[in-house]
Every structure is written in structure tokens, then in C-alpha cells.
Amino acid sequence: MKILVLNGPNLNMLGIREPDIYGKSTYADLCRLIREHCDSKGICVTFKQSNHEGDLVDYIQQAYFEKVDGIVINPGAYTHTSVALLDALKAVCIPTVEVHISDVDSRENFRQISYVSKIAVKTIKGHGFDGYIEAIDHLYSDRVYN
Ligand code: CA2
């Protein structure tokens, strides 16, 4: 099974700023945690992060051509603005789980809308880095049991 873990703008800053919201661990720590989990399940995982909306669209399209089985996406602030990401995810038809490290529901009003949620098979909010592991497990059990 092949999974793409896609992170949007500023998530490369994890552990460097705003530890009260996003924790003290870095983006590299996050990738390590996910890779170890995927290795234990025999999942082939790829990581991409970009601060640019068009790059994220390109990575989603690339996933289609590379026959990726599932996408875990934290679109960062593009969650709340990007119809382009929604359209890209609709176009590729790859099961996608949306993850937010923080509990967006208890934050500012502008974080209450998510375009990606309209296509995501599941949305996980406020579980910190564990949310990514839950997302992987969701895609994995969907694949194994269906
Ligand atoms: O909670 C999440 O994971 C978010 O997707 C993170 C986005 C935010 O715009 C969403 O509303 C919720 C922001 C990511 C910024 O990450 C930083 C990490 C460390 C320091 C500064 C920013």
C-alpha cells in the first residue's frame, strides 16, 4: 500500500514557533513518527510539504499518476480557502483523510470552514501528531477490509 502524507504552509515550522498550539516536536520528528508506524505495517509512505498552493495541487496530481492508494493531508491555512485543493482531490479520486494538529473547532471563526472536508473520507482534529497515525490506520483498515 502506498500513502502520501501532504503538509501545507508553515508546517515546516513545527517545533520552532507556537509550541503552545502545535507542540514542541519538529516536522522531521513528525515524519519519523509516521515512517516508523508505516514500516511496522508494511506501508510505503512518501512525505511532501509546501508553502505554495500550486505545488500542493501538483503533488496531488502526481499521486494519481504514481497510483498512490491514500492521501493524508494537513492543508494548513489552505484548508479554509482553497477550492483548488478540493478540485484536485476530487479529480484524482484517491481516498483522503484530513488532519489538523490543533482543534480548529475551538479556534477562530475563520478556521471553522474546510473545503477539503467536503471530499475527505474522515477529518481528524485536535489529536496532535497522533492524528496522522489515526489517519494512516483509517486508510489502511479501509484497504485491508474492503
Ligand atoms: O491545526 C492544524 O494542523 C492547522 O491545519 C495548522 C494551520 C492552521 O492554519 C489551520 O487552521 C490548522 C497552520 C500551520 C502553521 O504551523 C505552524 C507551526 C509552527 C509554528 C508556526 C506555524
Side-chain angles (χ1 to χ4, degrees):
M1 179 179 196
K2 283 165 80 170
I3 289 182
L4 168 66
V5 176
L6 189 52
N7 279 287
N10 295 308
L11 286 152
N12 56 318
M13 298 292 281
L14 285 169
I16 299 171
R17 297 284 315 272
E18 302 195 63
D20 43 324
I21 303 176
Y22 301 112
K24 284 186 191 155
S25 301
T26 64
Y27 176 70
D29 294 332
L30 173 64
C31 295
R32 200 173 309 119
L33 178 82
I34 297 169
R35 185 172 296 287
E36 280 171 14
H37 186 70
C38 287
D39 283 353
S40 75
K41 297 202 146 184
I43 297 168
C44 173
V45 65
T46 307
F47 301 95
K48 301 279 184 202
Q49 186 277 329
S50 178
N51 296 325
H52 307 280
E53 190 175 16
D55 286 349
L56 296 168
V57 170
D58 287 345
Y59 291 139
I60 291 167
Q61 291 183 6
Q62 210 177 325
Y64 173 79
F65 293 109
E66 290 174 0
K67 300 194 188 316
V68 164
D69 302 297
I71 297 176
V72 174
I73 186 167
N74 182 344
Y78 289 136
T79 306
H80 319 297
T81 61
S82 182
V83 178
L85 287 182
L86 171 63
D87 284 348
L89 289 167
K90 272 190 178 166
V92 298
C93 241
I94 298 172
T96 297
V97 178
E98 175 188 9
V99 173
H100 298 288
I101 296 170
S102 65
D103 179 16
V104 278
D105 291 341
S106 61
R107 298 182 66 190
E108 302 94 325
N109 281 343
F110 60 81
R111 294 186 204 275
Q112 306 308 315
I113 182 170
S114 165
Y115 289 94
V116 169
S117 284
K118 299 185 191 306
I119 188 77
V121 294
K122 189 178 170 74
T123 298
I124 299 165
K125 309 168 189 177
H127 295 184
F129 284 10
D130 287 347
Y132 290 83
I133 302 298
E134 290 167 36
I136 302 272
D137 286 347
H138 184 83
L139 291 169
Y140 182 76
S141 40
D142 237 35
R143 166 97 174 180
V144 169
Y145 300 116
N146 286 317

